[in-house]
Amino acid sequence: MRAIVYARLSPTPRGEESKGGNLAQQVELSEALCERNGWQIVDVISEKDTSASKGPRKGWERVKALVAAGKVDAIVSRHYDRMYRTPRDLEDLVDLAESTGVTLAAAQAQGVLDLATPSGRLAARIGAVVARNETEMRVERQVLGHQRRRESGRPFWSTRPFGFERDGRHREKEAEALRQAYQDVLAGVSLWSIAKDWNGRGLLSPHGKEWRSSNLRGVLLKPRNAGLQTYSQWVEKPDGRRVRLTEETGAGNWGSIVSEGMFRALVRYLSDPERNTGGGGKRKALLSGVVRCSKCQAVVTQGWSKKNAAGERYRIYTCSGGRCITCPADPLDSYVVRKVIDKAEEWNQAPATDAADEEREAELLAEEVAASERRTALAEMFAAGDIDASTMRAGIGRCDADLTKVRTELADLAAKRVRVDLGDVEYLWEELDYEDPDRIDYVRTVVMQVCQLVELMPRGRGVRGFKSDHCRITFRTVTAG
């Protein structure tokens, strides 16, 4: 008998041990069975993290191809459930056995299955039905387990998330970095700058990877940082695509790293399509990519003027959208930095907190809880048959509108209270060194912390040089620390 050994390891959540043993053990048991029966092993095919009940199995397809080609007389596995777990897959194997006469054998089962005989097919079909029932029962247990975890509010994370331990306690060094990152992003600091700082301090991800703007953004957008619990599930779209949907299900029973208002403010800020994302490149011009054209809202970039009578050229800022506006670069840089210094000094004298805002935030959080509870109650009333679908949809629509309004105001309050550590801004202009890209990046970061929008205004025909009314600055509503 020419035998092929097939081993398969099912997908297993991180931190859990596979119930199917490891691949080496499966192969060892199958080879021992072949040796006892005097069978010649022609090939060993193994598959890891592969389900037998969903999705293609490339290794198993190779096994069937070898059988169909007449190169194999028996398929040997640790158990029959390594080969099939659904009646549908078994019927395909029965058809293959009837045409080739292949025999199935399992090291941890009594006897072999001869699918060419009625009794062999009956035993295989009973095994497939039992395996299918075990799969369905496991899925049901998992769904109920997830539901109980959601109701209890306790953390359930397959891997340790950044800022937390697996049991929900804070890992303080990482948690403090997250708190500061929320403050910095809302104050205008780029994700790239924060990622660079974390990497420089050796503050890596839980998987030991360095930070980039993309994975840092993903961590900051996690509701768990605000103590909010989420539930994710795969949903099939009408076009057949499967997408993963995540929804908030209420407060978890672990401590939050940042307030919910701060989290909502950051989500809104990072979702703003008009936000200037900067980037990791070092610009040589201080305000290139920061200032916008007041006519078309395109960013301005650095360029060079035409030669004057003395054959000299100087730096200018030019609208990238259609050269609507140009302006000499040096006087604009000087004007914006002076305004930033003035505004920062004004903030230094402002009070740190506002009691009325804190009282309003508490009211809004209570309103949010009430709206969420009303939304849940409507769904439960519909499930119980107390209201019809149209009434439920109308009520949920009103609840969602209330939640959107409340969360928007929470975000506004959080953004208003962001405190920015600008250091000794009196000497900011001295920090600017056009020959040092790092210093340019530092001063630009400070400008973005203070300024929400810097616009270049038309200078008029025949006007040369720069005046204060050629630039319009909208400052952020924050206070400096």
Side-chain angles (χ1 to χ4, degrees), residues 3-7 23-41 43-44 76-78 105-109 112:
I4 185 170
V5 171
Y6 176 71
L23 290 174
Q25 290 175 338
Q26 293 185 36
V27 171
E28 183 179 348
L29 289 170
S30 300
E31 288 178 341
L33 175 62
C34 292
E35 184 177 353
R36 289 196 301 270
N37 291 338
W39 295 347
Q40 175 191 357
I41 299 176
D43 200 356
V44 175
V76 183
S77 289
R78 178 187 63 82
Q108 292 184 332
V112 298

mmCIF file of all heavy atoms in Angstrom, residues 3-7 23-41 43-44 76-78 105-109 112:
data_model
loop_
_atom_site.group_PDB
_atom_site.id
_atom_site.type_symbol
_atom_site.label_atom_id
_atom_site.label_comp_id
_atom_site.label_asym_id
_atom_site.label_seq_id
_atom_site.Cartn_x
_atom_site.Cartn_y
_atom_site.Cartn_z
ATOM 1 N N ALA A 3 0.987 5.035 0.860
ATOM 2 C CA ALA A 3 0.226 5.917 1.752
ATOM 3 C C ALA A 3 0.766 7.342 1.692
ATOM 4 O O ALA A 3 1.957 7.566 1.474
ATOM 5 C CB ALA A 3 0.277 5.404 3.188
ATOM 6 N N ILE A 4 -0.137 8.280 1.903
ATOM 7 C CA ILE A 4 0.247 9.683 2.050
ATOM 8 C C ILE A 4 -0.222 10.142 3.426
ATOM 9 O O ILE A 4 -1.355 9.861 3.825
ATOM 10 C CB ILE A 4 -0.361 10.558 0.928
ATOM 11 C CG1 ILE A 4 0.160 11.986 1.036
ATOM 12 C CG2 ILE A 4 -1.879 10.550 0.954
ATOM 13 C CD1 ILE A 4 -0.188 12.852 -0.169
ATOM 14 N N VAL A 5 0.664 10.796 4.158
ATOM 15 C CA VAL A 5 0.346 11.288 5.495
ATOM 16 C C VAL A 5 -0.134 12.733 5.378
ATOM 17 O O VAL A 5 0.523 13.570 4.752
ATOM 18 C CB VAL A 5 1.574 11.200 6.416
ATOM 19 C CG1 VAL A 5 1.304 11.912 7.742
ATOM 20 C CG2 VAL A 5 1.942 9.741 6.658
ATOM 21 N N TYR A 6 -1.292 12.997 5.997
ATOM 22 C CA TYR A 6 -1.856 14.348 5.973
ATOM 23 C C TYR A 6 -2.057 14.825 7.402
ATOM 24 O O TYR A 6 -2.709 14.148 8.215
ATOM 25 C CB TYR A 6 -3.183 14.381 5.221
ATOM 26 C CG TYR A 6 -3.858 15.737 5.253
ATOM 27 C CD1 TYR A 6 -3.343 16.812 4.534
ATOM 28 C CD2 TYR A 6 -4.996 15.949 6.028
ATOM 29 C CE1 TYR A 6 -3.953 18.063 4.575
ATOM 30 C CE2 TYR A 6 -5.618 17.187 6.063
ATOM 31 C CZ TYR A 6 -5.090 18.247 5.343
ATOM 32 O OH TYR A 6 -5.684 19.477 5.381
ATOM 33 N N ALA A 7 -1.487 16.008 7.725
ATOM 34 C CA ALA A 7 -1.629 16.607 9.058
ATOM 35 C C ALA A 7 -2.175 18.022 8.897
ATOM 36 O O ALA A 7 -1.801 18.745 7.976
ATOM 37 C CB ALA A 7 -0.295 16.624 9.786
ATOM 38 N N LEU A 23 1.749 19.749 14.755
ATOM 39 C CA LEU A 23 1.877 19.025 13.491
ATOM 40 C C LEU A 23 2.861 17.874 13.593
ATOM 41 O O LEU A 23 2.642 16.794 13.018
ATOM 42 C CB LEU A 23 2.305 20.001 12.395
ATOM 43 C CG LEU A 23 1.246 21.026 11.963
ATOM 44 C CD1 LEU A 23 1.846 22.013 10.972
ATOM 45 C CD2 LEU A 23 0.051 20.328 11.333
ATOM 46 N N ALA A 24 3.962 18.071 14.308
ATOM 47 C CA ALA A 24 4.975 17.013 14.421
ATOM 48 C C ALA A 24 4.395 15.762 15.079
ATOM 49 O O ALA A 24 4.676 14.632 14.650
ATOM 50 C CB ALA A 24 6.175 17.529 15.212
ATOM 51 N N GLN A 25 3.547 15.951 16.116
ATOM 52 C CA GLN A 25 2.922 14.805 16.773
ATOM 53 C C GLN A 25 1.964 14.078 15.835
ATOM 54 O O GLN A 25 1.920 12.839 15.819
ATOM 55 C CB GLN A 25 2.170 15.270 18.023
ATOM 56 C CG GLN A 25 3.068 15.732 19.151
ATOM 57 C CD GLN A 25 2.280 16.299 20.312
ATOM 58 O OE1 GLN A 25 1.137 16.728 20.139
ATOM 59 N NE2 GLN A 25 2.888 16.315 21.499
ATOM 60 N N GLN A 26 1.183 14.830 15.058
ATOM 61 C CA GLN A 26 0.263 14.215 14.105
ATOM 62 C C GLN A 26 1.019 13.363 13.090
ATOM 63 O O GLN A 26 0.620 12.228 12.777
ATOM 64 C CB GLN A 26 -0.547 15.292 13.390
ATOM 65 C CG GLN A 26 -1.510 16.060 14.269
ATOM 66 C CD GLN A 26 -2.369 17.021 13.478
ATOM 67 O OE1 GLN A 26 -2.761 16.733 12.358
ATOM 68 N NE2 GLN A 26 -2.661 18.178 14.064
ATOM 69 N N VAL A 27 2.092 13.916 12.554
ATOM 70 C CA VAL A 27 2.878 13.184 11.554
ATOM 71 C C VAL A 27 3.516 11.942 12.168
ATOM 72 O O VAL A 27 3.514 10.851 11.566
ATOM 73 C CB VAL A 27 3.961 14.108 10.952
ATOM 74 C CG1 VAL A 27 4.917 13.317 10.071
ATOM 75 C CG2 VAL A 27 3.310 15.233 10.149
ATOM 76 N N GLU A 28 4.021 12.079 13.399
ATOM 77 C CA GLU A 28 4.671 10.951 14.067
ATOM 78 C C GLU A 28 3.695 9.794 14.285
ATOM 79 O O GLU A 28 4.023 8.621 14.033
ATOM 80 C CB GLU A 28 5.252 11.429 15.393
ATOM 81 C CG GLU A 28 6.023 10.347 16.147
ATOM 82 C CD GLU A 28 6.596 10.866 17.452
ATOM 83 O OE1 GLU A 28 6.590 12.100 17.661
ATOM 84 O OE2 GLU A 28 7.035 10.028 18.275
ATOM 85 N N LEU A 29 2.480 10.103 14.759
ATOM 86 C CA LEU A 29 1.483 9.057 14.979
ATOM 87 C C LEU A 29 1.080 8.394 13.664
ATOM 88 O O LEU A 29 0.905 7.162 13.594
ATOM 89 C CB LEU A 29 0.247 9.652 15.659
ATOM 90 C CG LEU A 29 0.411 10.073 17.124
ATOM 91 C CD1 LEU A 29 -0.807 10.863 17.583
ATOM 92 C CD2 LEU A 29 0.614 8.841 18.008
ATOM 93 N N SER A 30 0.928 9.193 12.601
ATOM 94 C CA SER A 30 0.518 8.644 11.307
ATOM 95 C C SER A 30 1.618 7.770 10.712
ATOM 96 O O SER A 30 1.338 6.697 10.143
ATOM 97 C CB SER A 30 0.177 9.789 10.348
ATOM 98 O OG SER A 30 -0.879 10.579 10.855
ATOM 99 N N GLU A 31 2.855 8.177 10.844
ATOM 100 C CA GLU A 31 3.978 7.373 10.327
ATOM 101 C C GLU A 31 4.096 6.054 11.085
ATOM 102 O O GLU A 31 4.430 5.015 10.490
ATOM 103 C CB GLU A 31 5.271 8.176 10.435
ATOM 104 C CG GLU A 31 5.356 9.327 9.440
ATOM 105 C CD GLU A 31 6.615 10.147 9.587
ATOM 106 O OE1 GLU A 31 7.246 10.072 10.675
ATOM 107 O OE2 GLU A 31 6.993 10.846 8.628
ATOM 108 N N ALA A 32 3.811 6.102 12.393
ATOM 109 C CA ALA A 32 3.867 4.858 13.178
ATOM 110 C C ALA A 32 2.810 3.868 12.697
ATOM 111 O O ALA A 32 3.061 2.649 12.625
ATOM 112 C CB ALA A 32 3.677 5.173 14.659
ATOM 113 N N LEU A 33 1.617 4.366 12.370
ATOM 114 C CA LEU A 33 0.558 3.500 11.851
ATOM 115 C C LEU A 33 0.977 2.872 10.518
ATOM 116 O O LEU A 33 0.765 1.658 10.294
ATOM 117 C CB LEU A 33 -0.728 4.300 11.679
ATOM 118 C CG LEU A 33 -1.902 3.551 11.026
ATOM 119 C CD1 LEU A 33 -2.329 2.365 11.887
ATOM 120 C CD2 LEU A 33 -3.088 4.496 10.809
ATOM 121 N N CYS A 34 1.571 3.666 9.653
ATOM 122 C CA CYS A 34 2.025 3.136 8.363
ATOM 123 C C CYS A 34 3.097 2.059 8.564
ATOM 124 O O CYS A 34 3.114 1.027 7.861
ATOM 125 C CB CYS A 34 2.585 4.264 7.497
ATOM 126 S SG CYS A 34 1.338 5.451 6.950
ATOM 127 N N GLU A 35 3.992 2.276 9.534
ATOM 128 C CA GLU A 35 5.057 1.288 9.786
ATOM 129 C C GLU A 35 4.475 -0.018 10.307
ATOM 130 O O GLU A 35 4.911 -1.109 9.906
ATOM 131 C CB GLU A 35 6.046 1.871 10.798
ATOM 132 C CG GLU A 35 7.238 0.969 11.061
ATOM 133 C CD GLU A 35 8.236 1.607 12.015
ATOM 134 O OE1 GLU A 35 8.049 2.805 12.359
ATOM 135 O OE2 GLU A 35 9.190 0.914 12.423
ATOM 136 N N ARG A 36 3.470 0.061 11.203
ATOM 137 C CA ARG A 36 2.847 -1.165 11.730
ATOM 138 C C ARG A 36 2.158 -1.954 10.628
ATOM 139 O O ARG A 36 2.148 -3.189 10.644
ATOM 140 C CB ARG A 36 1.837 -0.798 12.828
ATOM 141 C CG ARG A 36 2.446 -0.303 14.110
ATOM 142 C CD ARG A 36 1.434 -0.342 15.262
ATOM 143 N NE ARG A 36 0.245 0.466 14.974
ATOM 144 C CZ ARG A 36 0.128 1.760 15.286
ATOM 145 N NH1 ARG A 36 1.142 2.383 15.891
ATOM 146 N NH2 ARG A 36 -0.982 2.420 15.020
ATOM 147 N N ASN A 37 1.537 -1.238 9.677
ATOM 148 C CA ASN A 37 0.810 -1.918 8.596
ATOM 149 C C ASN A 37 1.693 -2.271 7.415
ATOM 150 O O ASN A 37 1.228 -2.909 6.462
ATOM 151 C CB ASN A 37 -0.332 -1.023 8.119
ATOM 152 C CG ASN A 37 -1.428 -0.884 9.162
ATOM 153 O OD1 ASN A 37 -1.561 -1.738 10.047
ATOM 154 N ND2 ASN A 37 -2.212 0.182 9.064
ATOM 155 N N GLY A 38 2.961 -1.836 7.458
ATOM 156 C CA GLY A 38 3.866 -2.136 6.356
ATOM 157 C C GLY A 38 3.571 -1.320 5.108
ATOM 158 O O GLY A 38 3.851 -1.776 3.989
ATOM 159 N N TRP A 39 3.025 -0.104 5.278
ATOM 160 C CA TRP A 39 2.685 0.747 4.132
ATOM 161 C C TRP A 39 3.865 1.644 3.774
ATOM 162 O O TRP A 39 4.587 2.141 4.644
ATOM 163 C CB TRP A 39 1.464 1.624 4.429
ATOM 164 C CG TRP A 39 0.194 0.820 4.635
ATOM 165 C CD1 TRP A 39 -0.006 -0.492 4.347
ATOM 166 C CD2 TRP A 39 -1.032 1.304 5.200
ATOM 167 N NE1 TRP A 39 -1.280 -0.886 4.664
ATOM 168 C CE2 TRP A 39 -1.943 0.208 5.192
ATOM 169 C CE3 TRP A 39 -1.471 2.513 5.684
ATOM 170 C CZ2 TRP A 39 -3.245 0.303 5.671
ATOM 171 C CZ3 TRP A 39 -2.769 2.628 6.151
ATOM 172 C CH2 TRP A 39 -3.659 1.542 6.150
ATOM 173 N N GLN A 40 4.017 1.893 2.504
ATOM 174 C CA GLN A 40 5.081 2.765 2.017
ATOM 175 C C GLN A 40 4.575 4.214 1.982
ATOM 176 O O GLN A 40 3.569 4.512 1.351
ATOM 177 C CB GLN A 40 5.525 2.344 0.619
ATOM 178 C CG GLN A 40 6.559 3.276 -0.003
ATOM 179 C CD GLN A 40 6.777 2.999 -1.477
ATOM 180 O OE1 GLN A 40 6.185 2.057 -2.028
ATOM 181 N NE2 GLN A 40 7.608 3.793 -2.109
ATOM 182 N N ILE A 41 5.283 5.122 2.658
ATOM 183 C CA ILE A 41 4.899 6.532 2.680
ATOM 184 C C ILE A 41 5.507 7.229 1.468
ATOM 185 O O ILE A 41 6.721 7.289 1.311
ATOM 186 C CB ILE A 41 5.384 7.223 3.975
ATOM 187 C CG1 ILE A 41 4.751 6.545 5.205
ATOM 188 C CG2 ILE A 41 5.046 8.716 3.953
ATOM 189 C CD1 ILE A 41 5.247 7.090 6.527
ATOM 190 N N ASP A 43 4.525 10.489 0.561
ATOM 191 C CA ASP A 43 4.606 11.943 0.769
ATOM 192 C C ASP A 43 3.989 12.287 2.126
ATOM 193 O O ASP A 43 3.176 11.523 2.664
ATOM 194 C CB ASP A 43 3.875 12.708 -0.341
ATOM 195 C CG ASP A 43 4.328 14.162 -0.451
ATOM 196 O OD1 ASP A 43 5.151 14.593 0.380
ATOM 197 O OD2 ASP A 43 3.863 14.853 -1.374
ATOM 198 N N VAL A 44 4.420 13.422 2.694
ATOM 199 C CA VAL A 44 3.847 13.961 3.929
ATOM 200 C C VAL A 44 3.436 15.407 3.643
ATOM 201 O O VAL A 44 4.267 16.230 3.244
ATOM 202 C CB VAL A 44 4.853 13.923 5.095
ATOM 203 C CG1 VAL A 44 4.258 14.603 6.332
ATOM 204 C CG2 VAL A 44 5.248 12.492 5.418
ATOM 205 N N VAL A 76 -3.566 8.760 5.377
ATOM 206 C CA VAL A 76 -3.399 8.498 6.807
ATOM 207 C C VAL A 76 -3.289 9.823 7.549
ATOM 208 O O VAL A 76 -2.496 10.688 7.170
ATOM 209 C CB VAL A 76 -2.144 7.649 7.081
ATOM 210 C CG1 VAL A 76 -2.026 7.328 8.567
ATOM 211 C CG2 VAL A 76 -2.174 6.361 6.258
ATOM 212 N N SER A 77 -4.103 9.950 8.627
ATOM 213 C CA SER A 77 -4.041 11.132 9.488
ATOM 214 C C SER A 77 -4.120 10.702 10.943
ATOM 215 O O SER A 77 -4.360 9.525 11.248
ATOM 216 C CB SER A 77 -5.202 12.093 9.180
ATOM 217 O OG SER A 77 -5.029 12.731 7.943
ATOM 218 N N ARG A 78 -3.923 11.670 11.854
ATOM 219 C CA ARG A 78 -4.073 11.354 13.271
ATOM 220 C C ARG A 78 -5.508 10.945 13.567
ATOM 221 O O ARG A 78 -5.761 10.011 14.319
ATOM 222 C CB ARG A 78 -3.681 12.571 14.119
ATOM 223 C CG ARG A 78 -3.856 12.338 15.620
ATOM 224 C CD ARG A 78 -3.626 13.620 16.394
ATOM 225 N NE ARG A 78 -4.593 14.649 16.056
ATOM 226 C CZ ARG A 78 -5.813 14.732 16.562
ATOM 227 N NH1 ARG A 78 -6.238 13.827 17.430
ATOM 228 N NH2 ARG A 78 -6.633 15.698 16.201
ATOM 229 N N ALA A 105 -7.325 5.981 6.763
ATOM 230 C CA ALA A 105 -6.873 5.378 8.017
ATOM 231 C C ALA A 105 -6.508 6.485 8.991
ATOM 232 O O ALA A 105 -5.977 7.525 8.600
ATOM 233 C CB ALA A 105 -5.660 4.477 7.773
ATOM 234 N N ALA A 106 -6.806 6.245 10.283
ATOM 235 C CA ALA A 106 -6.508 7.227 11.319
ATOM 236 C C ALA A 106 -5.772 6.551 12.453
ATOM 237 O O ALA A 106 -6.136 5.454 12.878
ATOM 238 C CB ALA A 106 -7.787 7.890 11.834
ATOM 239 N N ALA A 107 -4.718 7.208 12.964
ATOM 240 C CA ALA A 107 -3.882 6.607 13.998
ATOM 241 C C ALA A 107 -4.624 6.502 15.320
ATOM 242 O O ALA A 107 -4.342 5.591 16.109
ATOM 243 C CB ALA A 107 -2.622 7.443 14.183
ATOM 244 N N GLN A 108 -5.566 7.401 15.597
ATOM 245 C CA GLN A 108 -6.279 7.387 16.871
ATOM 246 C C GLN A 108 -7.728 6.937 16.686
ATOM 247 O O GLN A 108 -8.626 7.380 17.386
ATOM 248 C CB GLN A 108 -6.227 8.779 17.512
ATOM 249 C CG GLN A 108 -4.821 9.176 17.956
ATOM 250 C CD GLN A 108 -4.801 10.499 18.674
ATOM 251 O OE1 GLN A 108 -5.637 11.356 18.437
ATOM 252 N NE2 GLN A 108 -3.825 10.672 19.565
ATOM 253 N N ALA A 109 -7.993 6.065 15.748
ATOM 254 C CA ALA A 109 -9.320 5.493 15.525
ATOM 255 C C ALA A 109 -9.144 4.011 15.214
ATOM 256 O O ALA A 109 -8.104 3.586 14.711
ATOM 257 C CB ALA A 109 -10.027 6.196 14.375
ATOM 258 N N VAL A 112 -9.902 0.916 9.601
ATOM 259 C CA VAL A 112 -9.797 1.842 8.485
ATOM 260 C C VAL A 112 -11.185 2.016 7.879
ATOM 261 O O VAL A 112 -12.084 1.215 8.109
ATOM 262 C CB VAL A 112 -8.807 1.327 7.413
ATOM 263 C CG1 VAL A 112 -7.419 1.208 7.991
ATOM 264 C CG2 VAL A 112 -9.272 -0.007 6.842
#
